Amino acid sequence: MEKNTIYKKIGSLRNKIDAVKKSNNNPFFKSKYADINTIERIVEPIEYEVGLTHFITSTVAADGSQLLTLTVADVESG
């Protein structure tokens, strides 16, 4: 059986995830959003099912803004 590439696995992950409910309020923009913990609770079990994992790192840019980097990895091939 042919191994799934990371791109096929990401496609499979996206097909299995339903819309995430936006349950938090952002008063500055007068909008709703889904917080990162809610998103991770939904995504992580499906990632495991398709053979993916992710890492989120936080850094501070030269201008003082906070940057979040999402890295997705294939558990089989790294």
Side-chain angles (χ1 to χ4, degrees):
M1 184 166 107
E2 179 183 319
K3 287 185 180 179
N4 284 333
T5 66
I6 191 168
Y7 302 107
K8 287 181 183 178
K9 289 180 179 183
I10 290 171
S12 180
L13 174 75
R14 292 181 69 160
N15 285 333
K16 293 174 183 267
I17 294 175
D18 293 326
V20 178
K21 184 179 178 190
K22 297 177 182 179
S23 58
N24 295 64
N25 291 311
N26 181 336
F28 184 76
F29 289 110
K30 298 179 181 159
S31 63
K32 290 189 160 273
Y33 68 97
D35 69 90
I36 191 71
N37 294 320
T38 300
I39 295 168
E40 286 197 328
R41 274 194 305 274
I42 293 168
V43 171
E44 284 178 343
I46 302 169
E47 277 183 326
Y48 179 79
E49 180 183 324
V50 300
L52 295 173
T53 190
H54 75 274
F55 309 93
I56 300 173
T57 54
S58 174
T59 55
V60 178
D63 66 359
S65 62
Q66 185 178 16
L67 304 173
L68 294 178
T69 302
L70 171 68
T71 303
V72 177
D74 185 329
V75 174
E76 291 175 14
S77 68

